[in-house]
Amino acid sequence: MAGQSHYSPPMPEFDEAPKVLIVVAPYYRDIADDLLKGARAKLDSVGAAHETVEVPGALEIPTAIGIAHRTAEFDGFVALGCVIRGETSHYETVCNDSSRGLTMLGLSGACIGNGILTVENYDQAAVRAGEQDKGGGAAEAALHLVALSRKWRNLSKGIGFKPKG
Ligand SMILES: Nc1c(NC[C@H](O)[C@H](O)[C@H](O)CO)[nH]c(=O)[nH]c1=O
Ligand SMILES: CC(=O)[C@@H](O)COP(=O)(O)O
């Protein structure tokens, strides 16, 4: 059933604090603030350094992350926003293109947690940004990907590999 609690893997631990960029589209300001609160709390809980930038809407989030990713300044990214269905098909465009943009960036190596809510109405958004803490969940996803990226990068350098015998 929607909103039922689900399994979350244990939070990774970091020898070196990751640096995370939060890109938020405060199209719905109160919703964005709840998402930010949850994401920042999760990042603080593992000692991650983080900063936040705002963009006009969800469609701009992938572009902003792409720009930041090319600077190699950040280990991971958290995308936060809220898309609420209106009268036209623009809802599908905003949802699908923002999500697809983030997926393409992820496949190119960016560690991104997607906290862009795609909902039918404001009440659905408020529950997901609040008690369901989707912002924290997006931050958690980004942190897992950062940990995985570091693990495989270190292994490829022979770091942490203990030869047998
Ligand atoms: N309707 C919503 C939008 N629309 C704006 C687009 O995201 C974009 O900024 C515009 O098309 C200019 O490129 N954005 C949201 O974040 N949420 C919405 O509900
Ligand atoms: C998600 C949207 O772009 C939507 O809020 C725009 O509303 P409308 O489809 O009524 O123009």
Side-chain angles (χ1 to χ4, degrees), residues 19 65-66 68-77 100-113 141-142 144-150 152-153:
K19 187 174 177 186
I65 290 178
H69 182 49
R70 286 189 288 274
T71 69
E73 283 291 312
F74 303 97
D75 297 295
F77 303 90
R100 188 173 299 111
L102 295 180
T103 300
M104 296 307 289
L105 286 165
L107 293 173
S108 72
C111 297
I112 305 170
H144 280 290
L145 291 173
V146 170
L148 196 60
S149 174
R150 285 184 174 182
W152 293 122
R153 190 185 322 129

Side-chain angles (χ1 to χ4, degrees), residues 44-98:
D44 290 343
S45 74
V46 299
H50 54 87
E51 61 185 85
T52 301
V53 294
E54 293 188 352
V55 292
L59 278 183
E60 284 73 48
I61 294 176
T63 301
I65 290 178
I67 294 166
H69 182 49
R70 286 189 288 274
T71 69
E73 283 291 312
F74 303 97
D75 297 295
F77 303 90
V78 181
L80 300 176
C82 177
V83 188
I84 299 178
R85 188 184 297 276
E87 295 173 352
T88 70
S89 62
H90 196 231
Y91 172 81
E92 275 75 23
T93 295
V94 177
C95 294
N96 294 338
D97 287 7
S98 57

Side-chain angles (χ1 to χ4, degrees), residues 128-146:
R128 283 150 183 79
E131 64 193 72
Q132 291 187 12
D133 190 21
K134 294 298 185 183
E140 200 167 324
L143 291 169
H144 280 290
L145 291 173
V146 170

